Amino acid sequence: MFSISNPGLVHEAASTIAYIACRLDPIEIVTPKNLNKEKGSWILKAKEGRFCNPTFIYDTDLLSHIVGLKNQLMQANEQLMQNIKPQSPIDSAVHEIIKSRIRDAITSINMALGILTENDYETTINATAKYGQLNRDQKSRANIISTCGRYVFGDFTPCFPEEQIARLKEITFDANAIHKQFQNALDYYIIDGWKIEIDASASSIDVRNKTTDGVPRIVIPAHQEVDGLKLIKLIGHEIECHLRDSENAAQLFRDLLENDSPLAPLIPVLAKSDNEVLYEGHAKLSDVTIAGTESLPRPFYTIAQIDAAEGYSFSHVAHHIYELQLDFFGKENVNIKGEDAEDVAIKSAWAATCSVFRGCTNTKSHCPYVFGKDYAYLAGFDIACKTKHPEWLNFASLSLTDLRRLHDAGARLNEPKYPAKNVAITTANQLTG
């Protein structure tokens, strides 16, 4: 148990930190408010052979509000740290994780300030502090996959026979049907406290631990439509990995802190690191386990990050990714249905490049700009496949550093509150009779 000199003051500080940190979603901060409009315009021009530099516009009212929270957060942090002292190895591990989460929150605020003041260098520095940066092996792996195809990972067999996959692909689910299936999965695990929301402004399905109102939610775009196999992958990826990992981590910290601790308000903050390498790696491993080789991570988000770090403009990076995509389709004998390969390559080039340039205010600049979150898919999958501690994947909302600290301190990481129940596979069997 922590030694706490003023429990009331600590509870107040912890509550303030949690209130602020749970509302600082880095993706919301860096997402332009004109993203969908710019995407449509950019894709039309790219189809005409013109790869342009988009002009991103940000929500200055939101960013100003976020920047205004910094002093309050810093005061609460000082108040907290002056009045708590770890007494055991586990306390020390939790203490370090508390400090890392507060650093996460501060870097999010600093990113908002960088965007507000159009200081792309400042935004990049803080994004790198939050997400880390590519190492030599990760860069090399991405380039090898781009050159040789994803089979460098090996060949992965889907968990369903071909006939069942074909039947799943024949079924279509709109946003309301996805909502129902997600809720069924949560009910199966007996998990509550999450809001499932259909949002006309959302661009992709997303599990959000941090939201403007502090209520964790799963967001489904109103226009979303998927086939049955994609639905099963989403249940595995979003519910059985992202959300279940977060809930297991929250329970772990409840056990370590005890619910009557003045530090208990911090539990939702402690349960989710902004570093998502293991988080996305676990979810991508689920994709591959369900659907096989076709779901292996592609290298383009990573290569876009490599290019952006060299100072190339949005248009240059996007054109490079477009060319790599077309070449990649040939290596993997990809059969594009419904859209031709060029259209798919253009849309994929936008997605990969936009992921790296989110938060940028001058996409033409040769000053290196990198929002490097999404290298986590490829790097994380590699780590999840090779880990010597597969039980840690039940808590993959924590960073590897968090987990090593807790493991070395003696925390029990082999007894998750919500062990995997393979509800995605059960759902597939129910859908196909």
Side-chain angles (χ1 to χ4, degrees), residues 17 54 57 64 121 131 162 201 205 260 288 334 373 417:
I17 293 167
I57 299 171
S64 296
Y121 176 77
Y131 297 113
E162 289 183 12
S201 66
I205 292 174
D260 61 350
V288 174
V334 173
K373 172 184 175 294
K417 179 177 181 180

Side-chain angles (χ1 to χ4, degrees), residues 159-175:
C159 68
F160 305 114
E162 289 183 12
E163 290 182 1
Q164 188 174 8
I165 289 176
R167 292 202 301 274
L168 285 169
K169 287 184 176 181
E170 290 172 354
I171 310 170
T172 301
F173 295 84
D174 64 10

